[in-house]
Every structure is written in C-alpha cells, then in structure tokens.
Amino acid sequence: MSDVEALKAEVKKLSAQAIQSKMDLHDLSEELPINWERIPEVAKACHDLYARLTDARARLKQAGG
C-alpha cells in the first residue's frame, strides 16, 4: 500500500470516528441535565478526533492525495 493510500484509509477511518464522536456529543446535549458531568470528557474526545482528522487531511494533501 502506498503512502497516499494509507493516508486515505486513515482519513476515512478518522472521519467515521469523528462523526460518531460528534453524534455522542449531540446525544449528550439532548440528555442534559442527565450526565452533565461527562461534558468535558465527551467534548475533549470530539475535539481530539477532529484535530487528528484535520492533521491527517493536511498530510494527505501534502502527499498529493
């Protein structure tokens, strides 16, 4: 597998994870005030995934993919 193909696979995987994380955050917001204590944890997980996705997309673009 080439570097570009590996980066495309990574972007695809991270994109799916980021979408799920976004939905987790959305679901948590709809349940408030239940589980309000989890806001920082769920928000950080979502933030971190989108940061990783942004980085992977930049690396893919730099690699010409």
Side-chain angles (χ1 to χ4, degrees):
M1 181 183 292
S2 74
D3 287 344
V4 172
E5 290 172 347
L7 285 170
K8 284 181 182 179
E10 181 181 359
V11 166
K12 184 177 180 178
K13 179 181 173 184
L14 287 171
S15 182
Q17 291 174 346
I19 289 169
Q20 181 58 53
S21 184
K22 176 178 73 170
M23 293 306 299
D24 293 345
L25 188 59
H26 178 265
D27 292 347
L28 178 62
S29 73
E30 288 189 339
E31 296 170 358
L32 290 173
I34 298 168
N35 292 322
W36 65 268
E37 302 92 344
R38 293 192 61 225
I39 293 171
E41 165 197 342
V42 175
K44 179 160 179 26
C46 188
H47 177 273
D48 292 350
L49 273 167
Y50 274 93
R52 289 173 52 204
L53 176 59
T54 299
D55 178 64
R57 285 180 174 160
R59 287 184 287 125
L60 177 60
K61 185 176 180 180
Q62 192 173 34

